[in-house]
Amino acid sequence: MNYQVVPFWFYSGKALLAVLAAIGLGLCGVNAAIFYCLLFGVVWPVAVSMRLHQLVEKGLAMNPRLASQWMVYVQGIPVRETRQVLTNPCFALENQMRTFFLRAFAGKAVLQMALLLLLIAQLAAVVNPWIASAGALFGAWLVYRSVDGTCALREVARQSWVSERLITAHDTVWYRAAFNGRKGTMAALDRLLAW
């Protein structure tokens, strides 16, 4: 049983720190960080999950269900809640899996590069050295995330990822993707949705 005693936005310390830093930079005229938080924190996961839902409805993909039980306190009253967690999807054909992740990682890389260009343009107009250094720090992090996304795109294009074959109870074959990393195997969807 998981417990939630604070609102969702404050549940992760890293997300809260990123949002507060983005708001601080936004108040100083550097809005690229706010756009990044909104785009990859809200819009991108929703767009990916909607596309996966469309593929599931067509029968081209399968999303294994994983439910988690939560105890949420609403104005001091405990409420039991079941949440469906988005897991790494399975695809009917390896080619469809590769196409989905190739398009998704390419879209993510394009969005990250566009935000990097926006950040460079906004930092060129900043005269305060403290704001410029904070923006440059965010820019360095954005470059790191862009390089990671581009490396994932290259691995998908070269098919140097892990393709797992699953057989269900009804003897249907599905394929699921993962990446080998320094910390072990990481699900392809987790890497796609990573900030």
Side-chain angles (χ1 to χ4, degrees), residues 1-2 4 8 67-72 74 78-84:
M1 179 69 61
N2 300 308
Q4 181 180 342
F8 237 178
S68 62
Q69 299 292 324
W70 286 79
M71 184 66 72
V72 180
V74 180
V79 177
R80 186 177 303 264
E81 184 177 278
T82 302
R83 297 181 185 172
Q84 294 292 329

Coordinates of all heavy atoms in Angstrom, one line a residue, residues 1-2 4 8 67-72 74 78-84:
M1 N 0.8 -1.2 0.0 CA 0.0 0.0 0.0 C 0.9 1.2 0.0 O 1.8 1.4 0.8 CB -0.9 0.0 1.2 CG -1.8 1.2 1.4 SD -3.1 1.3 0.2 CE -4.0 -0.2 0.5
N2 N 0.7 2.1 -0.9 CA 1.4 3.4 -1.0 C 0.5 4.5 -0.4 O -0.7 4.5 -0.4 CB 1.6 3.8 -2.5 CG 2.5 2.7 -3.2 OD1 3.5 2.3 -2.7 ND2 2.0 2.2 -4.3
Q4 N -0.1 8.7 0.1 CA 0.1 10.0 -0.5 C -0.5 11.0 0.5 O -1.7 11.0 0.7 CB -0.5 10.2 -1.8 CG -0.3 11.5 -2.4 CD -1.0 11.7 -3.8 OE1 -1.3 10.7 -4.4 NE2 -1.1 12.9 -4.2
F8 N 0.3 15.8 -5.6 CA 1.1 15.1 -6.6 C 2.3 16.0 -7.0 O 3.4 15.4 -7.2 CB 0.3 14.8 -7.8 CG 0.2 13.3 -8.1 CD1 -0.5 12.9 -9.2 CD2 0.9 12.4 -7.4 CE1 -0.6 11.6 -9.5 CE2 0.9 11.1 -7.7 CZ 0.2 10.7 -8.7
A67 N -1.7 -2.4 -11.7 CA -2.5 -1.6 -10.7 C -1.7 -1.4 -9.4 O -1.1 -2.3 -8.9 CB -3.8 -2.2 -10.5
S68 N -1.7 -0.2 -8.9 CA -1.1 0.0 -7.6 C -2.2 0.6 -6.7 O -3.0 1.4 -7.1 CB 0.1 1.0 -7.7 OG -0.4 2.3 -8.2
Q69 N -2.1 0.2 -5.4 CA -3.1 0.6 -4.4 C -2.5 1.8 -3.7 O -1.4 1.7 -3.2 CB -3.4 -0.6 -3.4 CG -4.0 -1.8 -4.1 CD -5.4 -1.5 -4.6 OE1 -6.1 -0.8 -4.0 NE2 -5.7 -2.1 -5.7
W70 N -3.3 2.8 -3.5 CA -2.9 4.0 -2.8 C -3.9 4.4 -1.7 O -5.1 4.2 -1.9 CB -2.8 5.2 -3.8 CG -1.6 5.1 -4.7 CD1 -1.5 4.3 -5.8 CD2 -0.4 5.8 -4.5 NE1 -0.2 4.5 -6.4 CE2 0.5 5.4 -5.6 CE3 0.1 6.7 -3.6 CZ2 1.7 5.9 -5.8 CZ3 1.4 7.2 -3.8 CH2 2.2 6.8 -4.9
M71 N -3.3 5.0 -0.6 CA -4.2 5.5 0.4 C -3.9 7.0 0.3 O -2.8 7.5 0.6 CB -3.8 5.0 1.8 CG -4.7 5.5 2.9 SD -6.4 4.9 2.7 CE -6.2 3.2 3.2
V72 N -4.9 7.8 -0.1 CA -4.8 9.2 -0.3 C -5.6 9.9 0.8 O -6.8 9.5 1.1 CB -5.4 9.6 -1.7 CG1 -5.2 11.1 -1.9 CG2 -4.6 8.9 -2.8
V74 N -7.7 13.0 1.8 CA -8.4 14.1 1.3 C -9.0 14.9 2.4 O -9.9 14.4 3.1 CB -9.4 13.7 0.2 CG1 -10.2 14.9 -0.3 CG2 -8.8 12.9 -0.9
P78 N -9.0 9.4 5.0 CA -8.3 8.4 4.1 C -9.2 7.8 3.1 O -10.4 7.4 3.4 CB -7.8 7.3 5.1 CG -8.8 7.5 6.3 CD -9.2 8.9 6.4
V79 N -8.8 7.8 1.8 CA -9.5 7.3 0.7 C -8.6 6.3 0.0 O -7.5 6.6 -0.4 CB -9.9 8.4 -0.3 CG1 -10.7 7.9 -1.5 CG2 -10.8 9.5 0.4
R80 N -9.2 5.1 -0.2 CA -8.4 4.0 -0.9 C -8.6 4.2 -2.4 O -9.7 4.4 -2.9 CB -8.9 2.7 -0.5 CG -8.1 1.5 -1.1 CD -8.6 0.2 -0.6 NE -8.6 0.1 0.8 CZ -7.6 -0.5 1.5 NH1 -6.6 -1.0 0.9 NH2 -7.7 -0.5 2.9
E81 N -7.5 4.2 -3.1 CA -7.6 4.5 -4.6 C -6.7 3.5 -5.3 O -5.6 3.1 -4.9 CB -7.0 5.9 -4.8 CG -7.1 6.4 -6.2 CD -6.6 7.8 -6.3 OE1 -7.3 8.8 -6.0 OE2 -5.4 8.0 -6.7
T82 N -7.2 3.0 -6.5 CA -6.4 2.1 -7.4 C -6.0 2.9 -8.6 O -6.8 3.6 -9.2 CB -7.3 0.9 -7.8 OG1 -7.7 0.2 -6.6 CG2 -6.5 0.0 -8.7
R83 N -4.7 2.9 -8.9 CA -4.2 3.6 -10.0 C -3.6 2.7 -11.0 O -2.9 1.7 -10.7 CB -3.1 4.6 -9.6 CG -3.6 5.7 -8.7 CD -2.6 6.7 -8.3 NE -3.1 7.6 -7.4 CZ -2.3 8.5 -6.7 NH1 -1.0 8.6 -6.9 NH2 -2.9 9.3 -5.9
Q84 N -3.9 2.9 -12.3 CA -3.3 2.1 -13.4 C -2.0 2.8 -13.8 O -1.9 3.9 -14.1 CB -4.2 2.1 -14.6 CG -5.5 1.3 -14.4 CD -5.3 -0.2 -14.1 OE1 -4.4 -0.8 -14.7 NE2 -6.1 -0.8 -13.3

